[in-house]
Amino acid sequence: MEFKERLREQVDIVHVVGEYVRLRRVGKRYSGLCPFHNEKTPSFSVSQEHQYFRCFGCDAKGDVFKFVELIEGLTFFEALKKLADQHGIALPKQSLASDDETRLRAALYEMHEIAANQFRSNLAGSQGSAARQYLAKRGVSEAAVQQFGLGFADGPRRSLLRILETRGFKPEQMEASGLVGQRDDGSFYDRFRNRLMFPIQNESGKVIAFGGRALDPEDKAKYLNSPETKIYRKSNVLYNLHRAKDTAMKLDRIVLVEGYMDAIGASQAGVTEVVASCGTALTVEQIRAMKRHSLNLHLNFDPDAAGAKASERSVKLLLDESMKVRIVELEGGLDPDEYCKQHGAEAYGQRVAGAKTYFYWLADRARTKFNMREPQGRMDAFQSLVPAIQDLSDKLARATYAIDLAGYLGVEPGMVQEHFRKLSNDRVDRTPAAKIDPTRATDRILLPLLVNDEEARAQLVEQLRDLPALKQLITAPIFETLIAMHDAGETISFNTLHERVHPSVQENLAAVVLDSGAGAVTLEDGLACVEALRRAERERLIRELKLQIKSAEREGRINEALDLAHQLSKLNG
Ligand SMILES: [Zn+2]
């Protein structure tokens, strides 16, 4: 039997893929979000029986070797070797005769391993004392130094270069490694000198590049990173992902910070599901790498102007990739590393756990700018968020967020509807906001399901029965008639319902039910929509109660205020 076949028999594709993708068992197969294209509903399947994966969205398919090749960007030989190593199976001699590309990359991995070891021993030695002092001052523990493999590239000598030369690496391999620079005369020099070194590892934990922080304050480049090489593509790599991914999958959450020190600080604080983008603008590839482990992203960028700008751009990309974004806010304008040092691990953990969703975070900022006691002020606050909602590329998400936010800001659903109706009638004032109409989106999701899908109807009717928010809709009579027909056990179809509803809403019914393609919305969408309406209603009640409590207190109606406060605590519980 060929070695490849023997190996394939000993490796389980479900385990291998499961390291990179959250998989769920569905009957005989496993399913998850495809790591090779952007999607919101899983079309990626792994069959244990056939040891095969396949995506019905982008048509990626193959065996376990193919999967490792694609996901890690490896050649076939590298994938084979990686799987054999992982499973403690020795490669036969003849398969070492691999292709040039694989040989070069193997040399680069080896050089990086050697460099990482050298940097580590430099840091422990006498020449590393300034670097050790710096780390101690920044509160990095000895355990963290070990865990993150931190090191020190020593002074202006050719020390790494000499080691690589004595180990027999060829000039073209040196040049390709990015570890050394080349002068005009062709001679080499160490790229990293007098720097604190952060090894950058790929998802399997292999060192593929370095980030170096200058220790001399006079040094012009505070951070110097490896250039791109055959084993390092900047746009694909996140710092610390290989350590973060297990916790990220377990907690179903991933924390994104900016710098190496932030990642180390957060990790020391017990937030080990942390990765860093390391100065480069966040890319779609990096987002997809995180997304494979969790869709819940907690963004904790520096609060300074540059950080805020980076956050804004990143959030847009993250939302477009269907990530659920929360913003971690740290008081005092501190970055994660400083915060952990000043307030301790527990406080930071609480900040991360209590992070608000991006839109609530925006809404809270809007609250401080408008008079929230007046309906118009609340409407204006809502209005100020519309452009951000409009930025979402997913229609359903736009509607859900709009309903949610209206409730959160205490805007009556009816008012939102009225507002959008006016906007769309008023041709002079044609702002982009006219495009969103959250309440009509409710109709578009719920009505087709209720009319066409018997199974969904049975579940949804129970949910909708006592939903006060529904009564605020123009289409409320349709829902009422439908529920009455359902309770009476009558046959429900578009035609029977259309006949029974009041003529004033017949057209609304026809527009949404006949307009929607079959199978366009699922029961899950419907339930999400109900949930959003329910949340909106609750938020609205809470705001109303709070206002009533305030005015009761002001006017000395203490018993009433206590009563209301009791009601409020029940709602909050
Ligand atoms: Zn795919």
Side-chain angles (χ1 to χ4, degrees):
M1 200 192 300
E2 207 190 327
F3 178 73
K4 178 182 165 185
E5 301 304 324
R6 267 199 295 136
L7 183 56
R8 194 177 8 227
E9 279 189 359
Q10 296 183 53
V11 172
D12 181 6
I13 191 168
V14 174
H15 280 131
V16 173
V17 176
E19 288 277 305
Y20 302 89
V21 182
R22 293 176 75 85
L23 290 175
R24 209 164 58 90
R25 196 188 184 110
V26 186
K28 284 178 81 174
R29 60 190 182 86
Y30 290 79
S31 147
L33 293 176
C34 178
F36 305 120
H37 84 280
N38 179 28
E39 63 176 3
K40 283 187 70 183
T41 47
S43 44
F44 179 81
S45 275
V46 183
S47 158
Q48 197 156 34
E49 187 185 1
H50 303 293
Q51 290 292 306
Y52 197 75
F53 74 93
R54 155 132 217 207
C55 172
F56 294 92
C58 67
D59 209 34
K61 52 181 177 287
D63 60 7
V64 68
F65 302 112
K66 190 75 198 171
F67 180 82
V68 174
E69 278 180 61
L70 289 175
I71 198 107
E72 291 269 6
L74 301 178
T75 63
F76 169 73
F77 285 110
E78 288 168 336
L80 191 78
K81 186 168 179 313
K82 180 177 154 59
L83 285 169
D85 284 351
Q86 268 176 0
H87 290 77
I89 301 162
L91 277 173
K93 278 263 160 11
Q94 68 268 27
S95 73
L96 293 174
S98 50
D99 58 306
D100 286 349
E101 169 96 7
T102 302
R103 271 198 301 269
L104 173 60
R105 288 157 61 113
L108 298 189
Y109 286 126
E110 206 187 328
M111 290 161 92
H112 277 79
E113 202 51 54
I114 292 169
N117 285 333
Q118 186 57 38
F119 294 150
R120 266 200 303 269
S121 75
N122 289 347
L123 181 64
S126 58
Q127 69 269 55
S129 73
R132 288 200 303 274
Q133 269 168 27
Y134 172 81
L135 287 168
K137 206 176 75 203
R138 298 285 305 253
V140 177
S141 69
E142 182 51 35
V145 169
Q146 298 299 331
Q147 194 194 359
F148 286 85
L150 304 187
F152 173 63
D154 54 4
R157 293 180 299 153
R158 306 172 347 128
S159 55
L160 179 61
L161 185 64
R162 213 160 282 142
I163 292 166
L164 295 174
E165 275 168 353
T166 57
R167 299 286 285 262
F169 290 101
K170 300 192 191 86
E172 62 269 24
Q173 292 172 324
M174 302 265 213
E175 200 187 334
S177 75
L179 292 170
V180 299
Q182 196 168 20
R183 295 192 192 85
D184 289 342
D185 66 1
S187 62
F188 292 117
Y189 59 89
D190 283 5
R191 178 181 298 274
F192 298 102
R193 294 180 306 275
N194 196 19
R195 282 173 186 271
L196 179 64
M197 299 301 288
F198 301 87
I200 298 169
Q201 283 143 291
N202 65 13
E203 220 174 305
S204 333
K206 273 200 173 150
V207 179
I208 53 173
F210 289 95
R213 191 195 190 284
L215 287 170
D216 179 357
E218 300 288 292
D219 209 318
K220 279 194 200 78
K222 192 168 154 203
Y223 277 97
L224 182 69
N225 276 29
S226 293
E228 300 223 331
T229 64
K230 287 266 186 218
I231 58 171
Y232 178 49
R233 296 236 348 252
K234 244 183 222 155
S235 59
N236 289 0
V237 177
L238 283 159
Y239 181 65
N240 202 42
L241 182 61
H242 70 293
R243 288 187 205 92
K245 64 184 189 174
D246 283 349
T247 327
M249 279 212 206
K250 216 179 317 157
L251 299 180
D252 195 6
R253 143 181 122 185
I254 196 156
V255 178
L256 176 63
V257 296
E258 268 176 305
Y260 306 109
M261 290 302 280
D262 293 327
I264 295 173
S267 185
Q268 284 193 117
V271 178
T272 52
E273 67 281 20
V274 64
V275 299
S277 59
C278 293
T280 58
L282 195 65
T283 66
V284 170
E285 288 80 6
Q286 288 172 325
I287 294 173
R288 290 189 184 159
M290 293 189 277
K291 202 168 138 181
R292 289 192 265 104
H293 306 295
S294 174
L295 284 173
N296 295 304
L297 186 109
H298 292 228
L299 188 66
N300 189 187
F301 277 4
D302 290 353
D304 62 22
K309 196 100 206 112
S311 301
E312 204 175 296
R313 214 194 31 242
S314 304
V315 166
K316 164 104 180 75
L317 269 183
L318 289 161
L319 293 173
D320 275 349
E321 286 288 318
S322 322
M323 296 282 275
K324 294 177 188 132
V325 183
R326 288 172 184 270
I327 305 288
V328 180
E329 231 179 341
L330 305 175
E331 67 263 26
L334 297 175
D335 67 28
D337 177 40
E338 291 163 343
Y339 189 89
C340 289
K341 245 190 321 175
Q342 288 192 19
H343 298 270
E346 204 178 318
Y348 183 69
Q350 281 168 2
R351 287 276 141 195
V352 171
K356 284 188 200 122
T357 64
Y358 172 64
F359 284 103
Y360 280 15
W361 177 78
L362 278 184
D364 285 345
R365 296 210 307 188
R367 265 192 186 149
T368 61
K369 294 181 202 145
F370 297 94
N371 177 7
M372 298 303 286
R373 294 219 187 95
E374 301 292 330
Q376 189 54 48
R378 300 201 285 272
M379 191 68 217
D380 290 344
F382 176 77
Q383 234 342 70
S384 74
L385 302 177
V386 166
I389 302 172
Q390 202 77 48
D391 256 356
L392 292 164
S393 49
D394 182 336
K395 230 196 270 177
L396 191 69
R398 283 206 294 261
T400 320
Y401 282 122
I403 297 171
D404 245 14
L405 284 174
Y408 188 64
L409 292 170
V411 178
E412 308 253 351
M415 244 184 109
V416 176
Q417 196 169 18
E418 178 65 12
H419 169 78
F420 284 115
R421 198 185 53 74
K422 254 195 272 168
L423 269 184
S424 53
N425 288 345
D426 190 354
R427 279 168 193 277
V428 190
D429 185 23
R430 252 193 119 67
T431 64
K435 279 192 227 140
I436 323 184
D437 179 342
T439 42
R440 282 219 21 234
T442 315
D443 293 341
R444 253 186 243 122
I445 295 160
L446 289 177
L447 285 175
L449 274 173
L450 287 165
V451 172
N452 299 326
D453 184 337
E454 212 171 317
E455 218 184 297
R457 184 191 311 140
Q459 285 205 42
L460 286 171
V461 162
E462 292 320 311
Q463 306 272 338
L464 293 172
R465 213 181 277 285
D466 307 310
L467 205 63
L470 210 59
K471 300 199 171 57
Q472 311 245 15
L473 306 181
I474 288 178
T475 47
I478 305 180
F479 287 96
E480 275 163 31
T481 310
L482 189 138
I483 292 172
M485 286 173 76
H486 174 82
D487 289 348
E490 292 176 46
T491 313
I492 294 175
S493 69
F494 169 71
N495 287 313
T496 57
L497 183 61
H498 192 259
E499 268 172 28
R500 290 278 297 277
V501 296
H502 193 271
S504 66
V505 289
Q506 275 177 342
E507 207 179 307
N508 302 51
L509 178 65
V512 290
V513 176
L514 301 181
D515 192 32
S516 67
V521 285
T522 64
L523 175 58
E524 271 178 20
D525 298 333
L527 291 173
C529 191
V530 170
E531 199 41 51
L533 282 168
R534 194 170 283 150
R535 264 202 309 272
E537 178 65 18
R538 213 177 118 242
E539 299 282 359
R540 195 181 64 80
L541 279 176
I542 288 174
R543 288 207 63 75
E544 210 166 79
L545 274 173
K546 280 185 181 162
L547 286 175
Q548 284 176 13
I549 291 170
K550 260 194 201 139
S551 70
E553 276 174 346
R554 244 196 329 265
E555 290 156 26
R557 289 177 279 126
I558 298 304
N559 279 338
E560 199 184 326
L562 285 173
D563 246 19
L564 293 166
H566 182 63
Q567 283 180 39
L568 178 66
S569 74
K570 273 200 291 198
L571 268 179
N572 276 328

